[in-house]
């Protein structure tokens, strides 16, 4: 299970992904890997991370054509304010 503490530690996947989405809403996980990490995302790599951060509401995922794109979610501000509850 993942715990999303705020502020996230520097260099963590959470920090990198959220910072990327602030500047680039509507991007895919594959685009994040290529733009930030510098390599293509292996099939289903970190699938649990992307599912957990979406389920927490920090980011939201929407279908756009044949792809799933991410942007900041409804619980992002609550997470920043320390009001995101752990279930």
């Amino acid at each position: 299970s993942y715990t999303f503490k705020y502020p996230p530690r520097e260099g963590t996947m959470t920090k990198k992904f959220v910072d990327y989405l602030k500047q680039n809403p509507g991007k895919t996980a594959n685009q994040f890997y290529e733009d930030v990490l510098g390599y293509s995302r292996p099939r289903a790599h970190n699938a649990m991370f992307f599912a957990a951060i979406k389920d927490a509401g920090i980011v939201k995922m929407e279908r756009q054509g044949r792809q799933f794109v991410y942007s900041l979610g409804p619980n992002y501000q609550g997470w920043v304010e320390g009001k995101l509850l752990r279930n």
Side-chain angles (χ1 to χ4, degrees):
S1 74
Y2 286 88
T3 302
F4 298 104
K5 295 180 182 178
Y6 190 84
R9 289 189 324 265
E10 216 39 61
T12 62
M13 190 76 154
T14 303
K15 172 87 170 132
K16 289 179 181 180
F17 190 53
V18 170
D19 287 348
Y20 179 71
L21 291 179
K22 284 181 192 176
Q23 301 298 318
N24 305 287
K27 296 288 188 168
T28 67
N30 292 343
Q31 290 169 316
F32 163 72
Y33 264 71
E34 291 172 6
D35 295 346
V36 175
L37 303 178
Y39 58 91
S40 296
R41 180 178 175 217
R43 188 168 177 81
H45 194 256
N46 273 330
M48 291 298 293
F49 166 77
F50 291 109
I53 198 166
K54 177 190 67 75
D55 289 347
I58 297 170
V59 302
K60 65 180 176 180
M61 181 177 69
E62 299 173 316
R63 187 176 189 113
Q64 192 173 68
R66 296 182 68 159
Q67 297 181 329
F68 291 101
V69 297
Y70 292 87
S71 57
L72 295 179
N75 286 341
Y76 173 76
Q77 194 59 41
W79 176 60
V80 169
E81 296 170 0
K83 297 177 183 173
L84 186 66
L85 300 177
R86 183 174 182 192
N87 290 333

